[in-house]
Amino acid sequence: MSEPTLVFEEPKQRKKPPSHFADFTPEERRAKVEELGLPGYRANQISTHYFTHYDDDPESWSDFPAAARTLVRENLLPPLITLVRSITCDEGMTRKDLWRLHDGVLVESVLMRYPERTTVCISSQAGCGMNCPFCATGQAGLTRNLSAAEITAQIVAAARACDRGELPGGPTRLSNIVFMGMGEPLANYNAVLRTVRNIITPQPDGLGIGARSVTLSTVGLVPAIEKLTEENLQIKLAISLHTPDDELRDSLVPINLRWKIKEVLAAADGYADKTGRRYSIEYALIRDINDQKWRADLLGRLLKNRNAHVNLIPLNPTPGSKWTASRKEDERAFVETLENYGVPVTVRDTRGREIEGACGQLAALEISSRP
Ligand code: SAH
């Protein structure tokens, strides 16, 4: 493995995405609308079209005067994400969308329909600076942060696909959002928080999806977790731990060189104390690397008195990787050991593997299709 390089700041030379209605607070939106010479109440109409009807094309808005439609499209609703292609599997119940952004950068989102819920997994950055060696996105490095509106647009597109009945089984409601696509959400804090507010704010100013249905997954940027705690939101926090010992974590999740496991868990405990929400520990099981019985014991001891739940993810090997998923018997033993400590544990399903839509795979297509 090469020396980890940790990138916190995005490369400066990139042109910012055009600003968009969804980048602003409801108050700011009203001010923006008035700056265009339109009455402030038009902001509510725009919100209703965008967040309730998932309609981002003002040309189709019959409650809007023609001149105002063009003004709004050009100034407040510039198209930010363009669909390049969709790939489906699981009889259409899993769909991966590849999006091109204004500067040609590509990102992906994955929509998954289950009997009782429909979840979208979204990207918060193009690439990622965290450099975890088992993750495809980590290998590509960070291209840039996404704007709040670019992240929100992935969710609105997913909500629209559900609403229009694009997935088998007929129209449904987008119920869950997970920040588990490309990028480290807490390294793009402001845009991610604006997005969370767009999700949880009741209609018409937001999508009106409950905070409890939103999961934010992080490598463990301690100051950002502490900041998030102060927001006192009911969103679910997931920590990508992947091993209970600092020695191995220093290489699996290189940000561990800066914030150790103890500090990350203390920050997560603070989050649970403040919000009352159990957090989850993500653990990609890698054969003979982090799946030994002694590590399960260590993890059990570490978590037994914490308000945490373990989500085991069978490793999805990235192209060219020497690592692979654990043997089934080792996975079972790992689960049993944790259960013996009374630690709640589940094994994540592996939706979307055959379309490179599974955990950590979202950049693979991007790299191979980059011009
Ligand atoms: N940067 C955030 C979100 C990334 S992806 C984070 O690290 O939490 C969401 C989860 O998928 C993380 O737990 C990540 O470690 C995991 N993951 C990445 N690559 C994977 C792979 N190849 N197989 C299984 N899980 C993987």
Side-chain angles (χ1 to χ4, degrees):
M1 202 183 81
S2 59
E3 273 293 289
T5 43
L6 302 174
V7 184
F8 294 101
E9 281 172 40
E10 58 182 323
K12 288 276 179 289
Q13 69 278 18
R14 296 225 154 236
K15 215 171 98 210
K16 272 187 179 294
S19 73
H20 182 282
F21 195 72
D23 288 318
F24 305 118
T25 65
E27 299 69 44
E28 290 167 342
R29 290 171 192 160
R30 209 177 163 86
K32 292 280 170 192
V33 162
E34 285 170 351
E35 272 169 36
L36 292 178
L38 300 173
Y41 69 84
R42 294 274 180 221
N44 281 349
Q45 286 180 294
I46 299 171
S47 294
T48 303
H49 284 295
Y50 192 67
F51 290 115
T52 305
H53 304 303
Y54 320 120
D55 182 352
D56 60 359
D57 178 14
E59 297 309 329
S60 68
W61 299 352
S62 56
D63 59 351
F64 248 71
R69 293 178 198 171
T70 313
L71 210 56
V72 168
R73 198 195 53 237
E74 285 175 358
N75 295 281
L76 293 174
L77 290 178
L80 292 179
I81 65 171
T82 312
L83 188 64
V84 178
R85 66 172 157 271
S86 298
I87 318 175
T88 59
C89 64
D90 305 317
E91 273 121 37
M93 295 300 198
T94 302
R95 179 174 112 182
K96 181 174 76 168
D97 291 329
L98 175 69
W99 305 102
R100 180 177 294 111
L101 309 182
H102 81 104
D103 51 358
V105 168
L106 301 173
V107 296
E108 294 176 347
S109 59
V110 182
L111 190 55
M112 292 157 281
R113 183 168 191 170
Y114 299 89
E116 71 306 336
R117 66 178 196 277
T118 302
T119 300
V120 68
C121 175
I122 52 165
S123 297
S124 57
Q125 299 183 308
C128 185
M130 295 299 125
N131 210 19
C132 304
F134 57 90
C135 172
T137 310
Q139 303 320 294
L142 178 65
T143 303
R144 70 168 171 87
N145 280 334
L146 302 194
S147 67
E150 286 173 323
I151 308 171
T152 302
Q154 297 167 54
I155 305 165
V156 169
R160 185 190 304 127
C162 292
D163 184 68
R164 311 285 194 270
E166 290 176 21
L167 301 180
T172 187
R173 204 179 149 268
L174 179 69
S175 55
N176 294 72
I177 292 138
V178 297
F179 286 85
M180 293 190 185
M182 297 165 70
E184 167 48 47
L186 291 185
N188 185 14
Y189 190 91
N190 291 341
V192 165
L193 253 284
R194 178 72 252 142
T195 303
V196 169
R197 300 212 184 271
N198 287 341
I199 297 168
I200 68 178
T201 302
Q203 291 172 340
D205 288 326
L207 289 160
I209 297 174
R212 300 176 76 85
S213 309
V214 178
T215 303
L216 190 149
S217 176
T218 177
V219 289
L221 305 185
V222 168
I225 296 173
E226 290 168 351
K227 198 166 163 197
L228 184 68
T229 302
E230 290 313 309
E231 315 269 355
N232 201 11
L233 298 167
Q234 284 288 302
I235 63 176
K236 177 143 197 147
L237 181 67
I239 305 285
S240 294
L241 195 70
H242 301 310
T243 188
D245 56 305
D246 283 316
E247 196 188 347
L248 178 59
R249 196 167 190 267
D250 282 348
S251 62
L252 285 185
V253 186
I255 197 67
N256 201 66
L257 295 164
R258 184 163 303 189
W259 291 291
K260 296 295 170 202
I261 292 172
K262 218 174 131 189
E263 298 167 86
V264 175
L265 292 180
D269 291 340
Y271 186 84
D273 287 345
K274 173 95 175 191
T275 61
R277 291 224 66 190
R278 186 163 84 170
Y279 58 93
S280 60
I281 293 291
E282 290 177 277
Y283 201 110
L285 279 174
I286 313 175
R287 183 181 299 188
D288 300 329
I289 300 288
N290 65 353
D291 62 355
Q292 303 84 349
K293 163 89 170 111
W294 71 266
R295 279 204 163 87
D297 274 310
L298 192 56
L299 186 65
R301 285 199 294 276
L302 202 57
L303 299 180
K304 69 176 180 206
N305 292 318
R306 300 189 127 99
N307 196 6
H309 155 273
V310 176
N311 202 208
L312 297 172
I313 319 168
L315 183 83
N316 189 25
T318 58
S321 166
K322 53 185 189 300
W323 290 334
T324 186
S326 299
R327 295 169 201 89
K328 276 293 151 200
E329 63 266 30
D330 293 337
E331 180 184 297
R332 267 195 305 274
F334 210 92
V335 169
E336 273 166 28
T337 303
L338 289 174
E339 282 172 344
N340 288 340
Y341 285 91
V343 174
V345 52
T346 46
V347 179
R348 164 116 31 107
D349 82 312
T350 51
R351 274 274 181 118
R353 292 226 156 169
E354 59 268 54
I355 56 171
E356 272 76 49
C359 303
Q361 288 288 285
L362 289 183
L365 188 70
E366 190 208 354
I367 298 160
S368 59
S369 61
R370 200 172 266 169

